[in-house]
Amino acid sequence: MNVCLSHSHADKKWADILRAGLVADGFEVWNPVDDITPGLNWHLETGKALERSDAMIVLLSPDSVASPYVHSEIDYALSTSKFRGRLIPVLLKPTAEVPWILQQQQFIRATKDVSETVRHISSALKKAEAAV
C-alpha cells in the first residue's frame, strides 16, 4: 500500500520516525525530501504522490493545522473517493484548530511510546487495506 504522510516541517522528526516504522511494516511511504530532486516543482510532485497513494496519514499539531500545504493535502484526500476510510488523522500535539471535517473522525493519539503509536497507525492502515 502506498501512503502519503502529510505534516508540517516542524513535525519532520516525528514524521521520519513514523515513516521508518511504516516502511519496516511493508508500506511504501512517500518522502518528499528523498523523492523530489532539485529543480522539480514541489507542488506538482506532491500532487503526483497523492495520485499514486492509497491512503493518507495527516499529523496534526498547531504547526500543521496552520499550514496551507497540509490543508491542501487534506482537501485533496477528502475530495477523492479512494481515500474514503483511508485518511488517518494522528494527533501529535493538542490543538484547538483541527479542521472541522477531521473533528468528525476517530483520531489516533500519539503517545510518548512512538513504537506503540506506529503500531496503531500500521494496524489502521492494514484494516483499511483489507476493507477494499
Side-chain angles (χ1 to χ4, degrees), residues 1 3 22 27 55 57 88 121-130:
M1 173 183 267
V3 178
L22 292 175
F27 297 99
I57 298 165
I88 301 170
I121 295 167
S122 182
S123 175
L125 288 169
K126 289 174 183 175
K127 287 178 185 175
E129 186 174 34

Side-chain angles (χ1 to χ4, degrees), residues 8-86:
S8 76
H9 183 72
D11 300 321
K12 183 183 180 315
K13 183 177 177 181
W14 214 101
D16 289 343
I17 294 167
L18 174 57
R19 183 180 293 106
L22 292 175
V23 167
D25 280 351
F27 297 99
E28 293 182 40
V29 184
W30 182 64
N31 185 353
V33 173
D34 293 338
D35 298 340
I36 299 178
T37 57
L40 292 178
N41 181 307
W42 188 274
H43 299 292
L44 181 61
E45 295 304 312
T46 300
K48 289 178 184 178
L50 285 165
E51 288 174 11
R52 289 189 304 270
S53 295
D54 303 304
M56 183 197 291
I57 298 165
V58 59
L59 301 182
L60 298 171
S61 69
D63 292 304
S64 69
V65 299
S67 167
Y69 301 111
V70 172
H71 276 268
S72 293
E73 293 164 5
I74 292 168
D75 289 345
Y76 177 87
L78 290 171
S79 67
T80 306
S81 62
K82 72 177 180 174
F83 287 107
R84 189 167 290 121
R86 291 176 174 221

